[in-house]
């Protein structure tokens, strides 16, 4: 369902964020993010001179390479266009992400290492979507087969992966008491009184 028709208005700004997920021959996954900001009008900047309509204010990219346990192994951050020359001085700080694991507390840890004056607001903002796209990239039977896992997440050797699913308790549907978790990840399902009540309302009770 589309948004309702807008009031009369003038377009001023466009931000585009694109993310892609890849499986590498060496067994790592690359998650790449690209962000651009553009104005729909020409303006003057004392740092850049005349900036024409449609020319980027920001044009930045980030690649985070992770292993099958969602641990960051490599990071590359670049700025093709930035509003100030000094912005790129901070790019090296994103190497502090190496060794962190995407999962519960990810956003907090990101803020600790590249938040505020330790990083770039626009590149740091990509790290939240990168986490969710990492999960989307690695979920499904095909990525599991590339990693040498069966559809249940067990390794070919029969050893079970001891990794809590990233999306648990991340939203309403992935609450550990939801029927989706009960069906897809029964080992992590935690029934609650609320669920029992909802089942009764749906006719799923004993009555």
């Amino acid at each position: 369902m589309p948004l309702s028709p807008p009031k009369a208005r003038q377009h001023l700004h466009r931000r585009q964020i694109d993310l892609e997920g890849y499986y590498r021959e060496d067994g790592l996954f690359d998650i790449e993010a690209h962000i651009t900001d553009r104005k729909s009008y020409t303006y003057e900047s004392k740092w850049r001179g005349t900036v024409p309509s449609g020319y980027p204010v920001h044009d930045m990219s980030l690649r985070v390479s992770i292993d099958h346990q969602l641990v960051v192994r490599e990071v590359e951050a670049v700025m093709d266009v930035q509003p100030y020359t000094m912005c790129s001085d901070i790019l090296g700080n994103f190497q502090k992400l190496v060794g962190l694991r995407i999962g519960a507390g990810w956003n907090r840890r990101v803020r600790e290492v590249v938040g505020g004056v330790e990083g770039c607001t626009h590149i740091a903002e990509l790290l939240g979507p990168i986490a969710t796209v990492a999960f989307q990239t690695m979920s499904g039977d095909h990525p599991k087969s590339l990693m040498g896992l069966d559809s249940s997440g067990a390794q070919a050797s029969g050893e079970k992966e001891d990794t809590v699913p990233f999306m648990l308790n991340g939203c309403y549907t992935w609450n550990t008491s939801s029927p989706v978790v009960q069906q897809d990840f029964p080992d992590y399902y935690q029934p609650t009184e609320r669920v029992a009540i909802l089942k009764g309302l749906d006719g799923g009770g004993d009555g």
Side-chain angles (χ1 to χ4, degrees), residues 23-68:
Y23 181 73
R24 299 185 355 184
E25 291 183 351
D26 62 1
L28 296 182
F29 289 84
D30 282 345
I31 312 299
E32 296 185 356
H34 179 218
I35 182 172
T36 58
D37 281 306
R38 291 181 171 87
K39 305 296 185 186
S40 61
Y41 52 88
T42 298
Y43 66 97
E44 297 296 325
S45 167
K46 64 181 179 181
W47 296 94
R48 302 170 66 187
T50 300
V51 181
S53 170
Y55 189 80
V57 180
H58 304 102
D59 187 343
M60 305 172 177
S61 301
L62 179 66
R63 177 188 295 142
V64 175
S65 304
I66 57 177
D67 62 22
H68 70 287

Side-chain angles (χ1 to χ4, degrees), residues 1 19 50 64 98 129 145 160 177:
M1 180 178 179
L19 293 106
T50 300
V64 175
V98 174
S145 68
K160 185 73 172 181
S177 63

Side-chain angles (χ1 to χ4, degrees), residues 127-180:
L127 289 163
I130 276 180
T132 56
V133 170
F135 166 72
Q136 292 292 334
T137 299
M138 298 174 69
S139 65
D141 290 344
H142 181 59
K144 286 186 175 65
S145 68
L146 292 174
M147 290 185 281
L149 308 176
D150 62 26
S151 59
S152 68
Q155 297 178 335
S157 63
E159 181 181 350
K160 185 73 172 181
E161 286 289 306
D162 186 22
T163 302
V164 177
F166 167 74
M167 63 290 187
L168 286 185
N169 290 321
C171 69
Y172 175 75
T173 297
W174 286 105
N175 186 301
T176 51
S177 63
S178 85
V180 173

